[in-house]
Amino acid sequence: MAVSKEATTLRTFEAHSDSASSTSSTRHTSGIPGYIARLFEHDRLDRKLKRHHITSIAFSGTVGVGLFVTSGELIGISGSAGCVVAFAVAGLVIVCVMRTLAELVSVRPLSGALMDYPHTFVDPALGFAVGIMYWLAQCICMATLTAAAARVADDFVPSGQGLTKGQKAGILGGLFVVTLLSNALGVRIYGRLERVVKWLKIMLIIALCVLMIMINVGVGGHAFGTTNYTQNALVPSLRWEGFNGSSSTSLNNTPKFEIPGDSGRFLAVWTCITLAMFACMGGDYVVVTAGEAEFPRRDLPIAARFMYLVPIGCYIFASFLAGFNINYMDPHLFHPWASINSPTSYSPFIIALQYTTIKVLPTFLNGCFLFSAYTTGNTCLYIASRSLFAISQLYGNNFIKETLGKTNSGHTPMAAIIFCSLFGFLAFLGLADTTYNQPILTLSSFFTGTVACIYASECLAFLRFKAGLKRLETHEIFSRDDDVYRRRHYRAHWQPLCAIFGLVACLLIVLFSGWPAIYLLHTGVPSTIKPTSYLIADVVGAYVGPVLFVMLYVVYKLIYKTKLQSLRDFENAYFLPEFDGEPRGEMGKGWRRVLGEVWSLVR
């Protein structure tokens, strides 16, 4: 009976694949076969990326300055333990989203996949909003990280006064040119460069972990022990201007302008979760490479399942070790709402070094952090250009298709790369303010809120995707639990719980990401808090992305009269015969298979 059912399901797959193939040239509705044909008709990107190239691009795009610099900001807001909890919770949200994307990309490994899923399984208007805002978010992220790299360069000046505006402008201009040239080399060379970058970042993280352990036990003249976790793990309150050297005994004389007690501690950690999301985002870059992956159906699901575990695990472990050597009262930590911040490095790793006799490493680490920030911004340009290329093909008119939707003779979308690189000039906004780093804060908030909307859309698309499969199972056509489905695709465990959790968590992050600035504006701004105009910029950065997302969705829906996709229209969306000829590659079973897959990603 089991064999008969499997044979019947296999024939169903084959029949629908034949049907999808034969009708793809005539149908063009709701993102199914005709939609696929139109995509591949204009898809001239080179499929040269192997699995390790794909994971290298995603790893480089994830590990920027979040671990090396932003972790100090989280420690200053919520304490050493609060920082670890924030990275763990943000990482859990990313895990749920990526497990959701892993199954979707195993079924539909298309170029422009992130916009294809909401287009196909929810509403074409939602796919359009996702595509435009994802592209814009990556352009903004490129500018943010380029500006952050220039900010890190300030720490090369021993006096703590930072570089002049002319020097920063020179650094920004140089990074802009290098970023453009590296993306213009072609995807094969670009993938190899990213592979080198991945290993350099992995070695940097390992070295920092070893260094934090050595400092904690007394290498360098000062042993920190476990005090920062046994006594100062969490802040006693949410203090907006920071504690700035306050001793544990003076914390009882708390200023009026704070949120004390358990409520303050909870809100401090919650605020850090929204900030940590910016650092943890980037695993979705795996899906964006679908148009240039050599074997997308084989490699992308595995990369999406495991890749994000490496950077997130590094974030949690490295920040945990750094927390042993620094606590929230350190006056050198950055506080995003304070009127005065230290002009020196905000990195907890460098701050910990400053309390030792090791004087050479801080300058070297600053160079490493600058490199890390720049390479992540470089990856954002790659992601933005490929997103714009896919948008131009799927939604553009003839002029856009013939310009931004075209590649050169080497199959590199040069027009899209050049157009996206122009957003890099936003990094020069960082020259307008060096006291509060406000442009960087505003742009990073825009990125976080926008990408959270996109993650929520992908989770919603998966719920509809699964509902469509459930309908086919009810009609005894085929099931997600069949062996044929498991062999051809990745079946994510703990679904739909992961998708539901990811959807709810991302919506909460969108809704509450700007609450600190709103609270401060409502209660009044004392002299210890940054000016009202900067708080307004925080609110704008937090919510302008989601507002634009909704506006794009509504406008597209009104103009093109799109409707919610019907579950009965999904049947052919699960069958893409053009990918059936890919090699699958067996790696054994159980732990042997898991280890083999992980090694294929890391190497």
Side-chain angles (χ1 to χ4, degrees), residues 181-241:
L181 291 177
S182 62
N183 275 268
L185 294 175
V187 69
R188 184 192 295 272
I189 297 177
Y190 180 81
R192 291 172 179 171
L193 290 175
E194 290 284 38
R195 190 180 184 187
V196 174
V197 170
K198 176 183 71 174
W199 275 107
L200 290 175
K201 290 187 177 182
I202 290 175
M203 289 188 290
L204 174 61
I205 294 172
I206 294 174
L208 286 174
C209 291
V210 173
L211 180 63
M212 290 298 102
I213 295 174
M214 294 172 62
I215 291 176
N216 187 260
V217 298
V219 175
H222 185 80
F224 290 90
T226 61
T227 304
N228 290 330
Y229 279 105
T230 58
Q231 298 180 18
N232 302 314
L234 293 171
V235 293
S237 62
L238 175 54
R239 190 179 296 186
W240 302 105
E241 69 272 24

Side-chain angles (χ1 to χ4, degrees), residues 73-89:
E73 180 181 343
L74 304 187
I75 292 174
I77 296 173
S78 62
S80 300
C83 174
V84 176
V85 171
F87 275 129
V89 175

Side-chain angles (χ1 to χ4, degrees), residues 20 60 121 134 140 158 174 205 268 283 433 454 462 478 492 503 528 603:
S60 178
F121 298 108
Y134 188 76
I140 295 297
I205 294 172
D433 171 67
I454 292 164
F462 179 84
F478 70 91
L503 174 62
T528 56
R603 68 185 179 89

Side-chain angles (χ1 to χ4, degrees), residues 541-552:
Y543 295 113
V544 69
V547 169
L548 286 176
F549 184 89
V550 174
M551 288 177 60
L552 284 171

Side-chain angles (χ1 to χ4, degrees), residues 69-78 238-244 267-268 271-272 274-276 328 331-342 346 433-442 444-445 513 515-517 520 525 528-539:
V69 178
T70 307
S71 55
E73 180 181 343
L74 304 187
I75 292 174
I77 296 173
S78 62
L238 175 54
R239 190 179 296 186
W240 302 105
E241 69 272 24
F243 296 89
N244 297 320
L267 290 173
T271 302
C272 286
T274 61
L275 296 174
Y328 58 84
H332 299 101
L333 293 172
F334 178 70
H335 301 283
W337 307 288
S339 60
I340 299 176
N341 275 291
S342 169
Y346 302 142
D433 171 67
T434 57
T435 305
Y436 313 110
N437 299 276
Q438 190 58 51
I440 296 176
L441 293 173
T442 302
S444 61
S445 295
S513 60
W515 86 267
L520 291 170
V525 182
T528 56
I529 303 300
K530 63 186 181 182
T532 301
S533 59
Y534 287 83
L535 293 174
I536 293 175
D538 284 342
V539 176

